[in-house]
Amino acid sequence: MDWSFQFNIDMTKAKLMAVEAPMDNTYTTPEGLKLDMTQLVRTPNGTRLDMNISLDDQLRAKVGENWADDMDLMYHIEIPETNEYRIFNENRPNARQAKFRFRDMTRLSENNDGQMRLSETWDPAYVTVDAKKIRFVLDGYTIPVWEEKSVEVDLEKMRKDAEFYTYVLQLEQFGDEILFSKYNYWPVQQSLKLPEGNFEGNSSLVLEGVGTFQNDINGDQWVAIDREGKEYPVEVMGTTDQPYKNEEYIVGDLRLIIHGFKKENGTKFTLKRTAVNREFRDVNWEVDLPSYDSLPWLK
C-alpha cells in the first residue's frame, strides 16, 4: 500500500469534516505576554485551538531571540457535561501533552508583527470532540528570562567544611533554592548544547547538590568565571520529581558540569546563573470555547 497516498486521503477527509469556529479572545498577562485566540477546529481526530502569542516591549527586552522555542503554556480544560478536567502543563514532570503541536515562527521577525502562531490539538481520548461546552483556563506559562545571579565559590573551603557538614554553597533566585555540598572532577564528554570548544576527554569540575524549583530547570543557563576572567560553559543535569505543594519540585541529583575547569585552574571562581526559565502563574483568564450546531461525522 502507498502509505503517503493513504495519508493524503485521510488528511483530505479530515479537512472536509472539520468544523471551524472563528474566535476573537485576547488576554495580556501582567508581565506583558499577549495571547490572541483565533479559531477552534473540531475534527474526528481531535480538537485544535489556534492562537497567536506575542510580547510587549518590556518583556521582549528580558528574553532571548529564541524565546518562542522555549516558551510553554500551562492550562487546563473543563467539560462540565462529562466532568472532564484535563491539565496540560507542558514541560512539567509527568504532565499531559497536546496530541499535536505546531509553532509557526515566520512572523517573529521585526519586519512582521512579532507573533508566534501556536496550534494545540487535543487527543479525543482526553478532550471529547463532540462536547458542546468546553472551557479553557490559563494556569500560567514559562519563558526564559535573562537575569543574572552569582555566587563566589571556594572549593578549598567546601572541602574542609564538608568534614563538619557546615558549609553549603547556596543560591536563591525567583523562588528557586539551590544547594551544592560537594564536588568532584569527572571525565565528561562535550554536550551538543555547549559552545564550541575542545572539552572532550578532559576531567572537568562537577558541583553536586539538590534544588527546590518553582521554575522550569530546562532552559537554565549558567557560566563560571575564573580569577583571570576566563569563562567556562556550564551544563545543568538532574532528574525532576513530580511537583510538590506550592507547585515546587525537587531535583535531588542536581549537577553542574563546568566544562574545561580542571584542578590546575584553581579553587576559587564565580558561578553565575544568567538565564532562568521563569514560571509565571499570576494570570486570570478563562474562555468558553465556541460550540456547534452539528458535526458532519455524526450525521
Side-chain angles (χ1 to χ4, degrees):
M1 177 183 290
D2 185 343
W3 291 108
S4 62
F5 178 72
Q6 183 62 43
F7 175 78
N8 290 332
I9 292 178
D10 293 341
M11 290 298 292
T12 300
K13 288 182 178 178
K15 187 173 182 180
L16 291 174
M17 300 182 76
V19 176
E20 300 179 356
M23 299 180 63
D24 185 17
N25 300 81
T26 63
Y27 173 71
T28 302
T29 71
E31 291 79 22
L33 183 140
K34 181 180 179 181
L35 296 95
D36 179 13
M37 290 185 178
T38 57
Q39 69 172 350
L40 182 74
V41 181
R42 298 173 189 262
T43 74
N45 296 323
T47 304
R48 190 185 85 225
L49 179 63
D50 297 338
M51 66 184 78
N52 296 327
I53 299 176
S54 58
L55 311 180
D56 68 9
D57 292 341
Q58 186 175 0
L59 182 57
R60 184 68 184 82
K62 296 179 180 179
V63 302
E65 291 296 324
N66 299 322
W67 66 267
D69 292 328
D70 300 313
M71 192 280 308
D72 271 316
L73 294 181
M74 298 180 293
Y75 62 91
H76 69 267
I77 298 298
E78 299 175 0
I79 305 178
E81 293 174 313
T82 54
N83 294 319
E84 294 178 60
Y85 187 96
R86 308 302 189 191
I87 299 175
F88 295 85
N89 277 352
E90 302 310 332
N91 282 334
R92 274 292 194 175
N94 302 314
R96 180 174 287 115
Q97 308 288 326
K99 182 179 181 181
F100 301 112
R101 161 178 281 194
F102 176 72
R103 297 180 188 232
D104 181 358
M105 312 289 194
T106 58
R107 302 196 63 84
L108 280 175
S109 67
E110 295 180 358
N111 296 329
N112 290 302
D113 51 19
Q115 292 183 336
M116 174 186 71
R117 296 179 179 178
L118 176 65
S119 294
E120 298 246 324
T121 301
W122 306 311
D123 193 315
Y126 296 137
V127 178
T128 304
V129 174
D130 59 352
K132 283 186 173 294
K133 296 181 180 180
I134 302 177
R135 174 170 294 178
F136 173 97
V137 182
L138 181 66
D139 297 317
Y141 60 97
T142 59
I143 188 169
V145 173
W146 294 97
E147 187 163 333
E148 295 184 355
K149 186 69 177 291
S150 62
V151 61
E152 297 302 317
V153 181
D154 186 339
L155 297 178
E156 186 64 18
K157 181 173 177 56
M158 286 185 69
R159 184 186 65 81
K160 291 180 179 179
D161 291 353
E163 299 176 4
F164 303 98
Y165 303 97
T166 57
Y167 180 78
V168 175
L169 184 65
Q170 182 176 9
L171 185 144
E172 295 183 5
Q173 188 180 20
F174 298 131
D176 300 338
E177 184 177 30
I178 303 167
L179 306 172
F180 296 103
S181 56
K182 59 181 179 179
Y183 68 92
N184 210 328
Y185 293 89
W186 291 354
V188 292
Q189 295 182 346
Q190 181 177 356
S191 167
L192 296 176
K193 299 180 181 179
L194 297 173
E196 293 182 2
N198 186 21
F199 307 115
E200 187 173 357
N202 294 330
S203 292
S204 296
L205 175 66
V206 179
L207 297 176
E208 301 178 61
V210 299
T212 302
F213 292 89
Q214 292 184 0
N215 301 289
D216 187 357
I217 188 175
N218 296 312
D220 255 19
Q221 296 190 36
W222 299 67
V223 66
I225 307 171
D226 66 16
R227 293 307 187 190
E228 284 70 45
K230 181 180 178 180
E231 295 188 356
Y232 300 84
V234 177
E235 183 175 9
V236 184
M237 296 185 65
T239 306
T240 56
D241 295 328
Q242 287 184 300
Y244 286 76
K245 61 181 181 179
N246 300 324
E247 293 298 327
E248 296 177 342
Y249 59 92
I250 306 296
V251 180
D253 58 349
L254 184 64
R255 296 183 178 93
L256 293 190
I257 303 174
I258 305 176
H259 286 266
F261 195 98
K262 298 176 284 187
K263 288 183 179 180
E264 54 264 35
N265 293 116
T267 60
K268 295 182 179 181
F269 60 92
T270 300
L271 181 63
K272 187 181 295 185
R273 192 189 196 194
T274 58
V276 182
N277 202 9
R278 290 286 311 277
E279 181 172 307
F280 295 100
R281 286 189 169 269
D282 55 339
V283 297
N284 183 21
W285 195 39
E286 299 182 2
V287 178
D288 290 325
L289 303 181
S291 187
Y292 63 89
D293 293 325
S294 64
L295 297 173
W297 58 89
L298 295 181
K299 292 182 180 180

